[in-house]
Amino acid sequence: MRTLSNKSIFITGATRGIGFATAIQAAKQGWTIIINGREEERLDEVKKELESNYEVDVHMLNYDVTDIDSIKKAFLWIKKNVGHLDVLVNNAGVLDDALLGMVNEKQVSNTFAVNIEAVIYHMQYASRLMMKQKSGSIINVSSIIGRTGNAGQTVYGASKSAVIGATYSAAKELAPYNIRVNAVAPGFIETDMTKQLSQEKFEQRLSEIKMGRIGKPEEVANTVLFLASDLSSYVTGQVIGVDGGMVI
């Protein structure tokens, strides 16, 4: 088992929000970090910030997670240049709301391609590396909407529910190889997505939270870090809500 300070972690959608916060938490542990994103300029900014503030090795993989060929090349690059992969965080996701009656084929196709198909393919290639080393942790970012649903988010909710189903199945399949697969289900978190809400909708969502406040990306990242670390060495096939009590 690798020590806490000698892990490698690959985070998709790492340029902002929960992905960026997770990269920071991993950097604080001294881990080797591989970050993915579609915006090369922003990726470079994140890389420089992490290396400057935490003196860690950071590698950039600039590609669209819906491009299956690029996913395969990314893991070949990791195998050749890093040599091992201890943690995969499937964080990249899209939110495209629409009421039933307004849902279109493009919306469904794109949402599922990013939110679940990419998750499956990343798990597939990551597990091949992890099987050889007989260890690893995969963390998939789902959503409270994937557990409880929400009006106007049938497509998004379905895709995030699928992430939970994939997590359960992969956990059973990979456990014999000492590879743990878990998910986090964030609630109302302060990200670029929530900043787009009207004040009325914002207050409505806030009223549903028992702790009475919006969550911070780093609070989700802390849970991801727990699942990535050896502290959760006997935890697999779990979905941990990070929602301040929205579902109680």
Side-chain angles (χ1 to χ4, degrees):
M1 186 177 290
R2 240 176 282 279
T3 64
L4 284 175
S5 61
N6 190 32
K7 285 183 180 285
S8 61
I9 182 171
F10 179 24
I11 307 163
T12 67
T15 57
R16 54 179 51 84
I18 293 168
F20 179 46
T22 299
I24 290 175
Q25 294 303 321
K28 289 179 179 179
Q29 308 304 312
W31 296 355
T32 297
I33 303 168
I34 305 146
I35 53 174
N36 155 266
R38 290 184 300 177
E39 302 170 22
E40 188 171 8
E41 185 176 340
R42 174 58 185 155
L43 267 179
D44 189 54
E45 290 174 358
V46 171
K47 172 181 166 65
K48 289 176 179 176
E49 181 177 340
L50 294 173
E51 289 179 335
S52 173
N53 293 339
Y54 304 101
E55 298 183 351
V56 291
D57 292 328
V58 182
H59 306 282
M60 295 175 8
L61 290 176
N62 174 221
Y63 66 92
D64 188 322
V65 295
T66 64
D67 186 333
I68 299 172
D69 188 52
S70 292
I71 296 172
K72 183 178 181 180
K73 289 178 180 177
F75 283 96
L76 288 173
W77 186 94
I78 292 171
K79 181 180 180 181
K80 180 180 179 180
N81 295 278
V82 180
H84 63 91
L85 181 65
D86 299 296
V87 182
L88 167 67
V89 181
N90 275 312
N91 170 71
V94 293
L95 173 63
D96 189 2
D97 293 352
L99 292 167
L100 287 174
M102 300 298 291
V103 173
N104 60 65
E105 185 178 352
K106 182 179 179 182
Q107 177 194 26
V108 173
S109 177
N110 184 59
T111 300
F112 273 73
V114 175
N115 290 359
I116 180 58
E117 291 175 23
V119 168
I120 291 171
Y121 285 115
H122 279 82
M123 284 201 296
Q124 175 166 277
Y125 288 111
S127 65
R128 290 177 182 176
L129 291 179
M130 293 174 176
M131 280 178 180
K132 292 180 180 179
Q133 63 200 31
K134 294 284 194 293
S135 67
S137 176
I138 296 173
I139 302 104
N140 299 322
V141 179
S142 181
S143 167
I144 189 173
I145 307 304
R147 304 179 80 180
T148 64
N150 194 41
Q153 295 187 310
T154 297
V155 177
Y156 177 75
S159 70
K160 288 300 188 177
S161 290
V163 170
I164 292 173
T167 298
Y168 287 149
S169 293
K172 291 183 177 182
E173 185 175 328
L174 298 176
Y177 301 94
N178 197 34
I179 300 170
R180 299 180 294 105
V181 187
N182 295 286
V184 293
F188 195 42
I189 308 298
E190 190 175 5
T191 63
D192 289 346
M193 288 182 184
T194 57
K195 290 174 183 176
Q196 297 172 10
L197 292 174
S198 66
Q199 187 63 30
E200 182 183 358
K201 280 194 174 182
F202 184 92
E203 294 297 334
Q204 180 188 346
R205 295 281 177 85
L206 205 61
S207 69
E208 299 169 352
I209 304 172
K210 305 301 183 293
M211 290 184 72
R213 65 174 177 84
I214 192 170
K216 300 176 182 179
E218 52 265 36
E219 292 179 302
V220 182
N222 285 337
T223 305
V224 172
L225 185 69
F226 164 71
L227 292 171
S229 76
D230 300 339
L231 296 173
S232 59
S233 58
Y234 201 54
V235 179
T236 194
Q238 303 301 309
V239 180
I240 302 180
V242 188
D243 55 37
M246 287 185 78
V247 296
I248 60 174

